Amino acid sequence: PIAAQLSNHRKQRRYLMRSPRDFFKPLALGAPQPLADIPVRPSRMIHFFDPSNPKMAEKAPSIASRVDILLGNMEDAVAIDNKEAAREGFIRIARENDFGDTQLWTRINSLDSPWFLDDIHRIVTEVGDKIDVIMLPKIQGAWDIHYADQLLAQLEARAGIQRPILLHCILETALGVANVESIANASPRIQGMSLGPADLAASRRMKTTRIGGGHPGYLVRDDPDADNPEAPRTAHQQDLWHYTIGRMVDACVSVGALPFYGPFGAIDDPTGCEDQFRNAFLMGCVGAWSLHPSQIDIAKTVFSPPADEVLWARRVLEALPDGSGAVMVDGKMQDDASWKQCKVMVDLAKLIADSDPALKKAYGF
């Protein structure tokens, strides 16, 4: 029986793998050519709004001017009775507005839900030319992406869409994290991934009810003082999501996709939100979700490189024009490795400066 299972597993793996020659071919006649490279644009925050909420829907066009990505949500946080209203509201908003440089995304319901087919069919065929990215929740493995990829190609062909709609995956199950590398490699549509800490915590049976952020019980403590064993010992809170963010960043970067931190649910804790966002930024994430307007400026600040570090990085690049050799800058040795680090910082600063005059001045461009 074990040998038979292994044989079937090998057959399934062969079936799931696409030839490199075919990877960038359209999956349906008339569908647009898949992109060889994911467009890199300012993506410091994905701002969520509920299209079924009249007040949120009314404010969406004005908020769009403040954010890099505006996302109409149809999944979690939208009541079951409002699912169809959210879909109709998003289609209307997409049809009636031009958001300029702001990317327009939507998070549709999960592939196993009763709303998925209507969500993707209606959105692609009615406003697909307005949509940059569709966010897919609860992705378990490459098979989910293969299904959505083929279906999207068929709908794009039917609607005459000229550019492919990209897919963004949420890592919010243990199986999804276990399969993160194969998910990232499943399709040229993979724009990026986000950490979904609340559902992931439930999937892993983690003992926390928080949505993102740390936990006071997850800590390390200093050793006892040998001279005063009864003295209080300092504790240091740790990051529950460090491992998962690291895996997600590596999987995304290996295929040219973009990693994001997900939601920070404590709207009343801006300091904790800023700390969690900064941890993700330092580890390689390009942005995070903003669930409330108060989190927009936090994300904008955190995911924009600090001006002093950009100015320093520019000095290093000037001292090593071609990135070779080694030089001393203010008593610090700089070589090829530090040149690469500095180039990451300066390239991001240039990208953001193009759409932010204040930062452009601060960065000296």
Side-chain angles (χ1 to χ4, degrees), residues 171-208:
L171 288 183
E172 46 191 341
T173 69
L175 183 57
V177 175
N179 290 323
V180 65
E181 289 84 7
S182 61
I183 293 170
N185 282 277
S187 166
R189 290 187 193 271
I190 300 297
Q191 180 273 346
M193 299 185 190
S194 287
L195 171 70
D199 279 292
L200 181 56
S203 174
R204 286 174 168 168
R205 302 190 184 98
M206 294 168 65
K207 310 309 184 286
T208 176

Side-chain angles (χ1 to χ4, degrees), residues 214-241:
H215 193 287
Y218 191 70
L219 51 83
V220 293
R221 193 179 301 275
D222 289 352
D223 289 344
D225 184 341
D227 297 326
N228 186 10
E230 302 302 320
R233 296 157 59 185
T234 302
H236 309 271
Q237 187 169 309
Q238 304 294 291
D239 187 352
L240 285 165
W241 310 108

Side-chain angles (χ1 to χ4, degrees), residues 20-331:
R21 294 189 181 92
D22 295 333
F23 193 71
F24 290 103
K25 291 182 179 179
L27 292 180
L29 293 175
Q33 183 75 29
L35 298 179
D37 296 298
I38 297 301
V40 179
R41 301 164 60 184
S43 303
R44 293 165 292 182
M45 76 295 294
I46 307 171
H47 186 69
F48 277 58
F49 77 97
D50 178 357
S52 71
N53 183 316
K55 290 184 179 179
M56 288 189 181
E58 182 180 356
K59 292 179 180 178
S62 60
I63 287 181
S65 63
R66 296 178 53 198
V67 302
D68 295 333
I69 299 167
L70 183 67
L71 181 144
N73 184 33
M74 300 181 197
E75 198 225 4
D76 290 353
V78 175
I80 290 177
D81 291 345
N82 290 339
K83 294 290 188 181
E84 293 187 8
R87 184 193 306 139
E88 298 299 330
F90 179 77
I91 290 172
R92 178 182 56 78
I93 290 169
R95 182 181 290 130
E96 295 178 357
N97 292 276
D98 180 357
F99 295 115
D101 292 333
T102 299
Q103 302 173 55
L104 182 61
W105 293 21
T106 181
R107 177 171 72 168
I108 61 177
N109 289 283
S110 61
L111 276 67
D112 61 352
S113 76
W115 305 283
F116 168 78
L117 280 175
D118 286 336
D119 285 348
I120 194 168
H121 182 275
R122 293 280 311 283
I123 288 167
V124 175
T125 57
E126 296 184 33
V127 290
D129 58 329
K130 296 285 194 77
I131 307 301
D132 293 286
V133 175
I134 291 177
M135 182 181 281
L136 295 177
K138 301 175 179 64
I139 293 301
Q140 302 272 47
W143 54 87
D144 287 336
I145 302 303
H146 295 158
Y147 168 61
D149 195 5
Q150 183 89 61
L151 180 57
L152 261 178
Q154 293 170 327
L155 293 172
E156 288 169 340
R158 171 179 287 184
I161 303 297
Q162 298 300 306
R163 58 177 176 80
I165 298 171
L166 301 180
L167 292 174
H168 185 95
C169 308
I170 313 179
L171 288 183
E172 46 191 341
T173 69
L175 183 57
V177 175
N179 290 323
V180 65
E181 289 84 7
S182 61
I183 293 170
N185 282 277
S187 166
R189 290 187 193 271
I190 300 297
Q191 180 273 346
M193 299 185 190
S194 287
L195 171 70
D199 279 292
L200 181 56
S203 174
R204 286 174 168 168
R205 302 190 184 98
M206 294 168 65
K207 310 309 184 286
T208 176
T209 57
R210 300 181 175 210
I211 300 177
H215 193 287
Y218 191 70
L219 51 83
V220 293
R221 193 179 301 275
D222 289 352
D223 289 344
D225 184 341
D227 297 326
N228 186 10
E230 302 302 320
R233 296 157 59 185
T234 302
H236 309 271
Q237 187 169 309
Q238 304 294 291
D239 187 352
L240 285 165
W241 310 108
H242 185 88
Y243 162 79
T244 306
I245 293 174
R247 285 202 64 187
M248 178 183 71
V249 168
D250 286 345
C252 284
V253 174
S254 70
V255 299
L258 305 178
F260 291 74
Y261 187 79
F264 186 87
I267 306 300
D268 60 349
D269 184 10
T271 301
C273 178
E274 181 174 344
D275 290 342
Q276 187 66 74
F277 283 6
R278 182 165 287 107
N279 288 348
F281 171 71
L282 291 172
M283 289 187 67
C285 290
V286 302
W289 298 8
S290 54
L291 305 182
H292 185 274
S294 64
Q295 294 181 337
I296 293 173
D297 287 337
I298 296 175
K300 185 175 290 187
T301 298
V302 170
F303 290 97
S304 300
D308 59 339
E309 293 195 23
V310 173
L311 295 174
W312 163 258
R314 293 185 64 191
R315 289 185 61 197
V316 174
L317 297 187
E318 291 167 1
L320 286 169
D322 61 359
S324 64
V327 297
M328 298 292 288
V329 180
D330 292 350

